[in-house]
Amino acid sequence: MSMEKPPLATGLARTRSEQLYESVAAAIKSPHGSMDANGIPATAPAAVGGGGTLSRKSSRRLMMGASPGRSGGAGTHIRKSRSAQLKLELEEVSSGAALSRASSASLGLSFSFTGFAMPPEEISDSKPFSDDEMIPEDIEAGKKKPKFQAEPTLPIFLKFKEVTYKVVIKKMTSSVEKEILTGITGSVNPGEVLALMGPSGSGKTTLLSLLAGRISQSATGGSVTYNDKPYSKFLKSRIGFVTQDDVLFPHLTVKETLTYAARLRLSKTLTREQKEQRALDVIHELGLERCQDTMIGGAFVRGVSGGERKRVSIGNEIIINPSLLLLDEPTSGLDSTTALRTIQMLHDISDAGKTVITTIHQPSSRLFHRFDKLILLGRGSLLYFGKSSEALEYFSSIGCSPLIAMNPAEFLLDLANGNINDISVPSELDDRVQVGNSGRETQTGKPSPAAVHEYLVEAYETRVAEQEKKKLMDPVPLDEEAKAKSLRLKREWGAGWWEQYCILFCRGLKERRHEYFSWLRVTQVLSTAVILGLLWWQSDMRTPRGLQDQAGLLFFIAVFWGFFPVFTAIFAFPQERAMLNKERAADMYKLSAYFLARTTSDLPLDFILPSLFLLVVYFMTGLRVSPYPFFLSMLTVFLCIIAAQGLGLAIGAVLMDLKKATTLASVTVMTFMLAGGFFVKKVPVFISWIRYLSFNYHTYKLLLKVQYQDLAESINGMRIDSGLTEVVALIVMVFGYRLLAYLSLRQMKIAT
């Protein structure tokens, strides 16, 4: 028997697949390649059970269609990469492995040499290999791309019935109650991806946050159950929530971001090495190897791309192997290819037994068909819940179908918005508008958006709603022990308090070192020091005029290092509020550990620039050149910095608004400066108490006492003594302002 080479490779370079084709043809010509009565190679079963393998579902369909008479041994196909298939040796082919496949990467076609012609419809159904299914390492070395972590986890069957949510909008003289969600019912099981779709303002994000337990139960109605049990704090460590905005530290690298998340969130039973290895595994699974040492970036810092940033946000949540993963607009701002890969990644996660819910605004047709279930919302009402593949069939059954070919998602969003252009209108809706709702008819003679919305809500309530509610009554297929896990009230911390503090301290140090040592800030401090040194160059303290000049210098130092830290610290908590809310809602750490780490991680950085400043100023201006006064002066400045920083932290934590905080800080610092004892010697009694709250006043007095302790009994009306009172006052400010800041953070509303 002879076979002719098909003319498909004409004009192309000689490939391994062509060589393999010739080898197979030679093998068939040989005596070993004899055929049986059915025209199938005599050794076909052995070949099927051995090396002749297929790696695509479409190729498996081709084989089944092309080989109707094959034996049962064909069911033992083993999945192999193309590189492994191309390594077939000529001896194996000639020894009887006649059932084989030549795979051409350039043409993406598959041929099955079994003595039968391949049907044209089967050829058209075959698909080439895609980059999504094979990475370069697979082709070169035959390695399989690792799947998402399939470690045992608590499966969560999520059900929600008649869910409502209202907010109170306060006006000048009254308050109005607005209904955001009205009776939403649905369910999603492990292994499924549920999409929440609807126009802007339809309530998608609100519903997602409610299902994640991020909204206070006081304003909600209906029931939400996890394995037929209500929400409990234990579930925080089983739920991953990816916000629409990527809340990440801009100066940390991808690897550092995921490593810190792993150390804070993973169980205490794992060692530090195991947690760091988990972070590396997630980096590999999300395809972030190339950018793992790149900073995340932000508005003013260049970093990773938008798609990589989104994958880092997802990695922050899947690193804990969540049972329930919720994502808010994971494809927002991404191109269609990156968005498709992101949704495919969610499918990989759900295939591992996870429950996945995501909001989506306007997906492409390819994205739409990747979802298992769909909820369509319009103005807070439920317009459809069911399989996404059956959505068009449902709307067609109620008389709404597209008149032209269009993306199914666009069709559904048009309906949710009440836009019926290029959409057939049911006669029932036309009759209703003409008979009783002529006022709601538009100028074009079509029903208004309000009328369309009302019709869609009524249609769902009468046709589908009751049936779906009955399905929710079915018990969850879990034993009582698994259900009881959902009721645990005790929170599970991934690390102890001291470990949380150490991790957050290191993270804060790495994040803020770039900001503290920016060339702008260093230039600002050193240039100010040089100017002061030149203006007060080698001033003589032995003369009354020189002594007065040096007192002015010391007051400026007290004001400068009181003003500078305040306006740096007021940005701390307002800027990190989103991060604090996100991480506290996930129970990553205790607030006390965060607060102490946040306030102490600044101290090493705050000591470096003042030290450089004093080294320049102290010796240029001719202050007392002696170790004792020098180090006491430096200690006094440090104490002033910590007290001023505490005031800034307190103002930022109380107001949590940068404009308001900046305004209040300006007024406060100016008042403290004026009451500092340099400009006004005799302050009226009714307002003299302000100076005792001023860290400028106490710092100025301390600097005078350190420099002139043995030279004069009083300077500018201030008596020179031991300075113990000023030290105690500054220490009280250091702890008092920080205590006020901590209590303000405790009062801040954080999702529980």
Side-chain angles (χ1 to χ4, degrees):
M1 179 178 176
S2 64
M3 297 181 66
E4 296 183 1
K5 181 179 178 181
L8 290 174
T10 305
L12 299 177
R14 185 180 181 85
T15 64
R16 287 292 305 272
S17 57
E18 294 178 54
Q19 299 173 16
L20 186 59
Y21 182 94
E22 294 176 356
S23 301
V24 173
I28 295 177
K29 289 179 181 180
S30 68
H32 298 285
S34 58
M35 304 291 179
D36 62 8
N38 296 323
I40 302 177
T43 56
V48 170
T53 60
L54 299 174
S55 63
R56 288 290 303 269
K57 292 181 180 179
S58 57
S59 302
R60 190 177 291 111
R61 292 198 304 268
L62 293 177
M63 183 66 74
M64 292 176 64
S67 307
R70 62 188 177 91
S71 64
T76 62
H77 285 309
I78 303 173
R79 205 172 168 84
K80 285 179 61 178
S81 62
R82 286 181 288 177
S83 58
Q85 295 171 16
L86 292 178
K87 290 181 180 179
L88 292 174
E89 298 294 338
L90 182 61
E91 291 80 10
E92 294 178 359
V93 176
S94 61
S95 65
L99 183 57
S100 180
R101 188 174 63 118
S103 176
S104 172
S106 58
L107 296 176
L109 298 176
S110 300
F111 303 95
S112 181
F113 302 104
T114 58
F116 288 90
M118 186 183 297
E121 62 272 14
E122 294 289 344
I123 296 178
S124 63
D125 187 50
S126 64
K127 298 179 181 178
F129 288 95
S130 66
D131 294 337
D132 293 335
E133 298 183 7
M134 191 71 68
I135 56 177
E137 288 79 9
D138 295 325
I139 299 173
E140 295 174 3
K143 298 178 182 178
K144 290 186 178 180
K145 186 176 181 178
K147 291 187 177 296
F148 281 84
Q149 299 165 13
E151 298 174 2
T153 184
L154 173 68
I156 291 183
F157 293 79
L158 178 60
K159 299 178 182 179
F160 44 101
K161 182 177 180 181
E162 296 291 343
V163 171
T164 60
Y165 180 66
K166 298 178 182 179
V167 294
V168 177
I169 302 175
K170 295 183 179 179
K171 297 185 178 181
M172 293 293 293
T173 57
S174 62
S175 59
V176 179
E177 193 175 63
K178 183 178 180 181
E179 202 165 25
I180 306 298
L181 297 174
T182 57
I184 310 300
T185 299
S187 65
V188 58
N189 301 329
E192 294 179 341
V193 179
L194 169 65
L196 309 180
M197 198 168 71
S200 299
S202 59
K204 303 188 299 293
T205 300
T206 302
L207 178 59
L208 191 76
S209 301
L210 194 148
L211 297 179
R214 301 296 177 97
I215 293 180
S216 175
Q217 300 295 320
S218 59
T220 61
S223 65
V224 180
T225 60
Y226 309 79
N227 295 338
D228 290 337
K229 304 294 181 181
Y231 180 82
S232 65
K233 292 180 179 180
F234 167 77
L235 290 173
K236 279 191 175 185
S237 59
R238 296 290 181 267
I239 295 177
F241 188 84
V242 181
T243 57
Q244 182 175 356
D245 299 323
D246 302 316
V247 184
L248 302 167
F249 284 113
H251 292 101
L252 295 181
T253 65
V254 171
K255 184 178 180 180
E256 288 171 345
T257 300
L258 294 176
T259 300
Y260 284 129
R263 292 178 62 189
L264 285 168
R265 303 188 69 180
L266 292 178
S267 174
K268 295 180 182 179
T269 57
L270 300 178
T271 64
R272 175 173 175 174
E273 291 73 19
Q274 290 174 324
K275 292 181 178 182
E276 291 177 350
Q277 183 59 45
R278 174 73 65 87
L280 294 176
D281 292 340
V282 170
I283 288 173
H284 183 60
E285 291 170 358
L286 296 178
L288 296 169
E289 298 97 329
R290 291 168 53 186
C291 63
Q292 63 178 331
D293 296 320
T294 306
M295 285 194 300
I296 297 295
F300 305 103
V301 182
R302 188 173 182 179
V304 298
S305 66
E308 291 166 340
R309 184 195 300 267
K310 182 61 67 177
R311 277 182 279 167
V312 174
S313 297
I314 296 175
N316 260 333
E317 302 303 323
I318 68 171
I319 204 166
I320 62 171
N321 191 31
S323 303
L324 175 62
L325 180 63
L326 303 101
L327 307 96
D328 191 10
E329 300 280 2
T331 60
S332 178
L334 304 181
D335 60 85
S336 58
T337 303
T338 307
L340 184 63
R341 288 177 178 173
T342 302
I343 298 301
Q344 182 57 50
M345 182 175 61
L346 299 184
H347 266 285
D348 294 340
I349 296 172
S350 67
D351 289 343
K354 314 292 191 297
T355 305
V356 180
I357 305 176
T358 177
T359 62
I360 199 81
H361 182 61
Q362 190 169 356
S364 65
S365 56
R366 292 192 299 174
L367 257 65
F368 178 81
H369 292 296
R370 295 293 180 99
F371 299 121
D372 299 311
K373 287 184 177 180
L374 174 70
I375 283 182
L376 181 64
L377 298 174
R379 303 183 185 182
S381 300
L382 185 60
L383 306 182
Y384 174 77
F385 167 67
K387 295 181 179 179
S388 58
S389 58
E390 299 175 358
L392 294 183
E393 182 181 348
Y394 162 75
F395 284 104
S396 178
S397 68
I398 63 173
C400 299
S401 53
L403 298 176
I404 60 173
M406 65 171 65
N407 180 353
E410 291 182 6
F411 165 70
L412 296 178
L413 287 173
D414 281 346
L415 280 178
N417 277 310
N419 177 18
I420 55 174
N421 294 329
D422 301 321
I423 296 176
S424 63
V425 179
S427 57
E428 179 183 347
L429 182 57
D430 272 338
D431 295 342
R432 183 186 306 184
V433 172
Q434 293 173 4
V435 172
N437 301 319
S438 57
R440 301 163 73 182
E441 194 173 352
T442 62
Q443 295 179 354
T444 59
K446 295 182 179 180
S448 66
V452 174
H453 175 77
E454 183 180 336
Y455 172 76
L456 294 176
V457 172
E458 290 181 2
Y460 181 80
E461 287 292 333
T462 55
R463 294 171 179 259
V464 184
E466 290 301 323
Q467 182 181 358
E468 292 296 335
K469 290 176 184 177
K470 289 180 180 178
K471 290 181 181 179
L472 297 182
M473 303 301 293
D474 296 337
V476 170
L478 289 176
D479 55 21
E480 291 301 322
E481 182 180 356
K483 290 182 181 180
K485 289 183 179 180
S486 307
L487 282 177
R488 293 181 184 174
L489 299 179
K490 186 178 179 181
R491 297 183 179 183
E492 292 187 354
W493 301 100
W497 190 94
W498 177 250
E499 188 178 358
Q500 291 176 9
Y501 168 79
C502 294
I503 295 171
L504 293 172
F505 181 89
C506 295
R507 188 178 74 172
L509 208 60
K510 285 189 176 182
E511 166 61 23
R512 286 181 287 281
R513 63 184 177 182
H514 301 278
E515 181 183 351
Y516 271 82
F517 298 119
S518 64
W519 66 270
L520 193 62
R521 179 170 295 201
V522 173
T523 303
Q524 178 186 11
V525 172
L526 292 182
S527 60
T528 303
V530 171
I531 292 172
L532 289 178
L534 294 175
L535 289 175
W536 274 272
W537 177 261
Q538 296 300 319
S539 57
D540 189 1
M541 70 176 66
R542 290 171 296 185
T543 64
R545 186 177 183 86
L547 194 65
Q548 187 67 28
D549 287 346
Q550 281 196 0
L553 171 65
L554 297 177
F555 181 76
F556 180 84
I557 292 175
V559 170
F560 182 77
W561 288 111
F563 176 90
F564 201 70
V566 168
F567 286 91
T568 302
I570 58 174
F571 293 95
F573 295 127
Q575 284 184 339
E576 292 187 10
R577 181 176 185 175
M579 179 67 74
L580 181 61
N581 273 326
K582 169 192 167 185
E583 295 182 339
R584 286 279 291 143
D587 271 355
M588 288 181 65
Y589 45 72
K590 296 181 179 180
L591 182 60
S592 56
Y594 164 79
F595 181 81
L596 194 61
R598 180 64 182 84
T599 55
T600 55
S601 62
D602 291 335
L603 299 182
L605 304 173
D606 281 330
F607 289 165
I608 296 175
L609 288 182
S611 300
L612 296 176
F613 176 89
L614 283 178
L615 284 172
V616 174
V617 171
Y618 201 90
F619 298 102
M620 287 183 68
T621 57
L623 295 174
R624 292 183 63 181
V625 183
S626 177
Y628 182 74
F630 174 75
F631 286 110
L632 281 183
S633 298
M634 188 169 288
L635 187 61
T636 301
V637 171
F638 289 163
L639 206 55
C640 174
I641 289 173
I642 301 172
Q645 189 185 65
L647 176 63
L649 293 172
I651 293 176
V654 170
L655 297 179
M656 279 297 178
D657 183 273
L658 288 180
K659 289 185 178 180
K660 295 178 182 179
T662 304
T663 303
L664 180 59
S666 301
V667 175
T668 305
V669 169
M670 187 179 298
T671 304
F672 285 177
M673 180 184 67
L674 294 175
F678 182 79
F679 297 107
V680 183
K681 303 295 186 296
K682 187 178 181 181
V683 181
V685 178
F686 63 88
I687 202 173
S688 61
W689 56 270
I690 292 181
R691 66 168 56 184
Y692 300 109
L693 300 178
S694 170
F695 43 78
N696 299 127
Y697 173 72
H698 298 294
T699 304
Y700 176 50
K701 287 184 68 176
L702 268 180
L703 289 174
L704 288 176
K705 293 175 181 180
V706 167
Q707 291 294 322
Y708 312 119
Q709 186 174 10
D710 302 327
L711 300 178
E713 293 184 0
S714 66
I715 298 175
N716 288 344
M718 293 187 180
R719 188 168 58 89
I720 304 299
D721 55 19
S722 63
L724 182 61
T725 304
E726 288 75 19
V727 172
V728 172
L730 286 175
I731 292 176
V732 170
M733 290 181 187
V734 168
F735 292 101
Y737 287 138
R738 281 170 168 76
L739 179 61
L740 177 60
Y742 178 73
L743 295 177
S744 300
L745 289 181
R746 297 293 303 181
Q747 298 300 319
M748 189 175 68
K749 292 183 179 179
I750 299 178
T752 57

